[in-house]
Amino acid sequence: MRRPKVVAIAALIAAFATVAVPGPVGSRAPSTLATPSTDLFASVEIASVRGPTMTTPPLDPGARSNGNLEETSTLFEPDLTAEPPQARPKAAQPHAQAGTIKKNTWRLDRNVSWYGPGFYGNRTACGQALTQSLVGVAHRSLPCGTKITFKNPATGRIVTAPVVDRGPYVSGRQWDLTAGLCKKLGHCYTGPLSWKYASGS
């Protein structure tokens, strides 16, 4: 019972093998001994054409000489000096106005002090209430709100504050700091400070 089944499976495998791996179909490798038949080739006549074969003239002027040169032709370099140089057309340019540039550099003032005790609760010349926390500076002529940046060279602290009052009224002194500003700068005494106008003021 098992033997016919095994034989049938072997026959089925053999049938699949013949389908999957076909044999040669008449092709052969080229041989140097075999001479090709002359019937495989057709004769072709080559006509000599002189002149350009294009019906549309080429865009490149250098290509127009294709087919027009003889073996005895002489080539010359083009004379570039005969053609006028192409100059750029002059455009109207505005004339630059001479001026000066002001650099917003640090200035050192060696006599900067602060004020406040005895004036707290009063209005400043710019209309603000003078308190111990108001951050501002007094100056004799700068407009109210002008922002000044101060730097304490001793501590490196930098604070920007607006002009909020008029003063100082001590000879030779230019700035009077409010109590709030002197605390931020760590400069609640008379001594040197660097200053400059803040950007945009």
Side-chain angles (χ1 to χ4, degrees):
M1 197 72 181
R2 282 180 70 184
R3 187 167 189 164
K5 190 175 183 182
V6 172
V7 172
I9 292 174
L12 187 61
I13 292 173
F16 282 138
T18 57
V19 174
V21 184
V25 291
S27 62
R28 60 181 178 170
S31 173
T32 56
L33 301 176
T35 305
S37 174
T38 57
D39 297 337
L40 300 176
F41 301 97
S43 61
V44 177
E45 293 184 4
I46 300 176
S48 176
V49 179
R50 295 203 49 80
T53 59
M54 298 174 58
T55 57
T56 305
L59 298 178
D60 185 8
R64 294 177 186 167
S65 62
N66 186 19
N68 291 330
L69 294 177
E70 301 286 347
E71 293 183 2
T72 58
S73 299
T74 305
L75 300 177
F76 294 96
E77 290 290 336
D79 188 7
L80 300 178
T81 58
E83 299 179 5
Q86 298 294 329
R88 279 183 73 182
K90 292 185 177 181
Q93 298 289 338
H95 293 287
Q97 298 294 329
T100 58
I101 299 176
K102 293 182 179 180
K103 292 185 177 180
N104 191 16
T105 57
W106 289 103
R107 301 167 178 85
L108 181 63
D109 192 329
R110 299 186 180 277
N111 189 24
V112 180
S113 189
W114 70 287
Y115 76 108
F119 297 99
Y120 297 136
N122 297 337
R123 288 279 175 187
T124 67
C126 297
Q128 294 174 286
L130 184 61
T131 63
Q132 295 186 31
S133 61
L134 177 65
V135 177
V137 66
H139 191 271
R140 294 185 184 181
S141 59
L142 285 176
C144 292
T146 303
K147 292 185 178 180
I148 309 297
T149 301
F150 292 94
K151 178 169 66 174
N152 188 346
T155 62
R157 295 182 187 178
I158 298 175
V159 180
T160 300
V163 173
V164 296
D165 205 355
R166 292 290 167 240
Y169 298 104
V170 176
S171 177
R173 189 173 297 169
Q174 180 177 222
W175 307 102
D176 251 356
L177 311 179
T178 62
L181 180 57
C182 82
K183 290 175 185 175
K184 283 183 175 289
L185 284 170
H187 190 276
C188 294
Y189 54 88
T190 301
L193 275 183
S194 296
W195 67 274
K196 67 178 180 179
Y197 295 104
S199 301
S201 60

